[in-house]
Amino acid sequence: MCELLGMSANVPTDICFSFKGLRERGGKTGPHKDGWGVAFYQGKGVSTFKDANPSYQSEIARLISDYPIKSTAVVAHIRQANSGGVGLENTHPFTRTLWGRYWTYAHNGQLQGFETLPVGQHYVVGQTDSEHAFCYLLNALEQQFPVAPLDMKLAFDHLASLCPALQQLGVFNLLISDGDYLLAYCSTKLHWITRRAPFGVALLSDMDVDIDFAKETTEKDVVTIIATLPLTCNEQWQEMRSGQAQLFRAGEPQ
Amino acid sequence: MCELLGMSANVPTDICFSFKGLRERGGKTGPHKDGWGVAFYQGKGVSTFKDANPSYQSEIARLISDYPIKSTAVVAHIRQANSGGVGLENTHPFTRTLWGRYWTYAHNGQLQGFETLPVGQHYVVGQTDSEHAFCYLLNALEQQFPVAPLDMKLAFDHLASLCPALQQLGVFNLLISDGDYLLAYCSTKLHWITRRAPFGVALLSDMDVDIDFAKETTEKDVVTIIATLPLTCNEQWQEMRSGQAQLFRAGEPQ
């Protein structure tokens, strides 16, 4: 399977601490050695770093662990391949445009019978069930809203309504964002935590690293982290239920 | 204005040496300090690193100068903003999908009256003339070929046929690739060089760095570099004529 990591924040925030923990699971403390990727939104723009090599050994992943790239929405993924070979075209997250926005998506799980899901003009590039399901979701969005809805929350509500049917095809843990909203859907495993003042010290589960968020933040900062499994060992993460969708915006659960 | 850098190679090759030279021009030896980006193709997949900060000061750009990311097609850009503010959504190269392929595009120049160019469903995300022209080209491709042509060279020939009209709107130096072909179009300034055996030593123009390609390559390697201005001072670069299109594939001019 794979692991997901997402962030939604009300001020540009780096994800170094959380990514450092996730990176360990990409071949060292976890088996997810078949590539990794992370997309950072800044305004309407997005930059996606991907590598088909294990994150634990990747120099690019090391840089992202250490170098603060400030963003208000992040979607990251480490891969243990099941459907589709190891290669950049099968490495998450996937990014596409719709309605003049960049949509970024990462999936943890495995789907059966995905090949018949209609994708319209949103052709699949690689060979994964994951990318196929992404193209299906974008096509379904475009069918429902030929032009962008005035309230983008309606688009995310529609996306959430499509997830239970995908879950019926297997395992479908999802992160999807347009850089403003971030939707998480839990099929089997997904956790989140919202950090806000008063901030405290957090300890990573996967390595002996801690951070005092009080020194890194202002009192107004609100930052939500979503991860397959909790990344810290001394904080209370929310465990999502199977079939539960949770939308975030500017760090706040919606 | 901006500077372009592209690579087409018959074996996965890194672009560290050339990018090192380009990076200097992003705020040190050149004025192109308004962001930079580079897209690396591996098979059908692409990873695009972008940053709205000057490449000369960017830690990510430093990594790309030093860390060999092997690729057969690269499109890179350093930006001096004219149309559209400084920000990630206006940072080249731009990537979109068409016919189940990732298309990557970078532009050097400035266009007048670009707002009326039709883009169909290929909506623009940012505010640049460059991205608008890219969306126009993709829409025109899709109009010409509702399904992908069996011979993808036909698509690039069609792209090349559209460039002179864009050049009429101002300055339009272009790099565009689907990961297999790479098309260069020269409006005012573009140079290229094909390196093949016997390989020699190359010296960067922008800093005191040289490389002995004979030590880095095999006899069968063919690598073409395309750049706004020659990046080395001891090699003979081909200067493109205004209005000239040149297609490359696997390192070879087509």
Side-chain angles (χ1 to χ4, degrees), chain A residues 40-53 57-63 67 69 87-90 94-102 121 123-127 131 142 146-147, chain B residues 40-53 57-63 67 69 87-90 94-102 121 123-127 131 142 146-147:
Chain A
F40 297 92
Y41 280 92
Q42 291 172 352
K44 296 171 74 179
V46 65
S47 183
T48 305
F49 300 75
K50 288 187 187 192
D51 192 348
N53 294 308
Q57 294 169 328
S58 167
E59 274 299 303
I60 311 167
R62 187 196 54 71
L63 179 76
Y67 179 64
I69 300 173
L88 203 50
E89 75 268 28
N90 292 330
F94 301 100
T95 299
R96 293 282 201 286
T97 47
L98 179 66
W99 306 321
R101 286 161 183 260
Y102 292 112
Q121 295 298 306
Y123 298 109
V124 181
V125 176
Q127 296 82 41
E131 188 193 3
E142 203 171 20
V147 295
Chain B
F40 297 92
Y41 280 91
Q42 291 171 354
K44 295 171 76 179
V46 65
S47 183
T48 305
F49 300 74
K50 287 186 186 192
D51 192 348
N53 294 309
Q57 295 169 328
S58 166
E59 274 300 302
I60 310 166
R62 187 196 54 70
L63 179 77
Y67 178 64
I69 299 174
L88 202 51
E89 76 267 28
N90 292 331
F94 301 100
T95 299
R96 292 283 200 286
T97 46
L98 178 66
W99 306 321
R101 287 160 182 260
Y102 293 112
Q121 296 297 307
Y123 297 110
V124 181
V125 177
Q127 297 81 43
E131 188 193 3
E142 203 171 21
V147 296

Side-chain angles (χ1 to χ4, degrees), chain B residues 55-142:
Chain B
S55 59
Y56 173 61
Q57 295 169 328
S58 166
E59 274 300 302
I60 310 166
R62 187 196 54 70
L63 179 77
I64 289 169
S65 299
D66 295 338
Y67 178 64
I69 299 174
K70 303 279 187 179
S71 174
T72 49
V74 171
V75 175
H77 184 271
I78 52 174
R79 181 165 186 240
Q80 187 179 15
N82 46 50
S83 156
V86 177
L88 202 51
E89 76 267 28
N90 292 331
T91 303
H92 307 224
F94 301 100
T95 299
R96 292 283 200 286
T97 46
L98 178 66
W99 306 321
R101 287 160 182 260
Y102 293 112
W103 292 77
T104 298
Y105 159 105
H107 166 223
N108 154 231
Q110 194 161 6
L111 303 175
Q112 302 296 323
F114 65 90
E115 300 87 347
T116 57
L117 294 169
V119 299
Q121 296 297 307
H122 299 273
Y123 297 110
V124 181
V125 177
Q127 297 81 43
T128 61
D129 52 352
S130 304
E131 188 193 3
H132 195 113
F134 179 35
C135 295
Y136 160 76
L137 289 173
L138 291 178
N139 183 54
L141 265 190
E142 203 171 21

Side-chain angles (χ1 to χ4, degrees), chain A residues 126-142:
Chain A
Q127 296 82 41
T128 62
D129 52 353
S130 305
E131 188 193 3
H132 195 113
F134 179 36
C135 295
Y136 160 76
L137 288 173
L138 291 178
N139 184 54
L141 265 189
E142 203 171 20

Side-chain angles (χ1 to χ4, degrees), chain B residues 2-218:
Chain B
C2 311
E3 291 207 24
L4 300 171
L5 171 63
M7 185 187 81
S8 171
N10 67 342
V11 290
T13 303
D14 75 70
I15 198 164
C16 291
F17 176 73
S18 298
F19 189 81
K20 209 181 286 275
L22 185 77
R23 184 186 170 216
E24 293 290 295
R25 299 179 185 176
K28 191 178 181 194
T29 61
H32 316 286
K33 60 174 175 35
D34 299 324
W36 64 275
V38 54
F40 297 92
Y41 280 91
Q42 291 171 354
K44 295 171 76 179
V46 65
S47 183
T48 305
F49 300 74
K50 287 186 186 192
D51 192 348
N53 294 309
S55 59
Y56 173 61
Q57 295 169 328
S58 166
E59 274 300 302
I60 310 166
R62 187 196 54 70
L63 179 77
I64 289 169
S65 299
D66 295 338
Y67 178 64
I69 299 174
K70 303 279 187 179
S71 174
T72 49
V74 171
V75 175
H77 184 271
I78 52 174
R79 181 165 186 240
Q80 187 179 15
N82 46 50
S83 156
V86 177
L88 202 51
E89 76 267 28
N90 292 331
T91 303
H92 307 224
F94 301 100
T95 299
R96 292 283 200 286
T97 46
L98 178 66
W99 306 321
R101 287 160 182 260
Y102 293 112
W103 292 77
T104 298
Y105 159 105
H107 166 223
N108 154 231
Q110 194 161 6
L111 303 175
Q112 302 296 323
F114 65 90
E115 300 87 347
T116 57
L117 294 169
V119 299
Q121 296 297 307
H122 299 273
Y123 297 110
V124 181
V125 177
Q127 297 81 43
T128 61
D129 52 352
S130 304
E131 188 193 3
H132 195 113
F134 179 35
C135 295
Y136 160 76
L137 289 173
L138 291 178
N139 183 54
L141 265 190
E142 203 171 21
Q143 297 292 316
Q144 181 77 5
F145 303 103
V147 296
L150 284 178
D151 178 0
M152 198 52 63
K153 184 171 181 297
L154 297 176
F156 283 89
D157 289 346
H158 188 60
L159 283 173
S161 77
L162 297 166
C163 291
L166 289 172
Q167 183 178 351
Q168 293 298 314
L169 303 180
V171 175
F172 190 69
N173 299 296
L174 163 80
L175 292 180
I176 189 166
S177 178
D178 68 342
D180 186 19
Y181 287 99
L182 173 61
L183 174 69
Y185 181 81
C186 175
S187 166
T188 54
K189 264 190 298 196
L190 212 48
H191 297 75
W192 58 275
I193 186 169
T194 301
R195 298 186 182 116
R196 64 177 85 234
F199 290 96
V201 172
L203 308 167
L204 279 185
S205 305
D206 293 76
M207 59 196 304
D208 189 15
V209 169
D210 61 51
I211 189 169
D212 183 354
F213 285 115
K215 293 183 181 162
E216 309 282 335
T217 52
T218 74

Side-chain angles (χ1 to χ4, degrees), chain A residues 21-222:
Chain A
L22 185 78
R23 184 188 170 215
E24 293 290 295
R25 298 180 184 176
K28 190 179 181 194
T29 61
H32 318 283
K33 58 175 177 34
D34 298 324
W36 64 276
V38 54
F40 297 92
Y41 280 92
Q42 291 172 352
K44 296 171 74 179
V46 65
S47 183
T48 305
F49 300 75
K50 288 187 187 192
D51 192 348
N53 294 308
S55 59
Y56 174 61
Q57 294 169 328
S58 167
E59 274 299 303
I60 311 167
R62 187 196 54 71
L63 179 76
I64 289 168
S65 299
D66 295 339
Y67 179 64
I69 300 173
K70 303 279 187 179
S71 174
T72 49
V74 170
V75 174
H77 184 271
I78 51 175
R79 181 165 186 240
Q80 187 179 14
N82 46 51
S83 154
V86 176
L88 203 50
E89 75 268 28
N90 292 330
T91 303
H92 307 224
F94 301 100
T95 299
R96 293 282 201 286
T97 47
L98 179 66
W99 306 321
R101 286 161 183 260
Y102 292 112
W103 294 76
T104 299
Y105 158 107
H107 166 222
N108 153 232
Q110 195 161 6
L111 303 175
Q112 303 297 324
F114 64 89
E115 300 87 348
T116 57
L117 293 169
V119 299
Q121 295 298 306
H122 299 273
Y123 298 109
V124 181
V125 176
Q127 296 82 41
T128 62
D129 52 353
S130 305
E131 188 193 3
H132 195 113
F134 179 36
C135 295
Y136 160 76
L137 288 173
L138 291 178
N139 184 54
L141 265 189
E142 203 171 20
Q143 297 292 317
Q144 181 77 5
F145 303 103
V147 295
L150 284 178
D151 179 2
M152 198 52 64
K153 184 171 181 298
L154 297 176
F156 283 89
D157 289 345
H158 188 60
L159 283 173
S161 77
L162 297 165
C163 291
L166 289 171
Q167 183 177 349
Q168 293 298 317
L169 303 180
V171 175
F172 190 69
N173 299 296
L174 163 80
L175 293 179
I176 188 166
S177 179
D178 68 343
D180 187 17
Y181 287 98
L182 174 60
L183 175 69
Y185 181 81
C186 175
S187 166
T188 54
K189 264 190 299 195
L190 212 47
H191 298 74
W192 59 275
I193 186 168
T194 300
R195 298 186 182 116
R196 63 178 84 233
F199 291 97
V201 172
L203 308 168
L204 280 185
S205 305
D206 293 76
M207 59 195 304
D208 188 15
V209 170
D210 60 52
I211 189 169
D212 183 354
F213 284 116
K215 292 183 182 162
E216 308 283 334
T217 53
T218 73
E219 280 202 352
K220 293 181 181 167
D221 294 8
V222 180

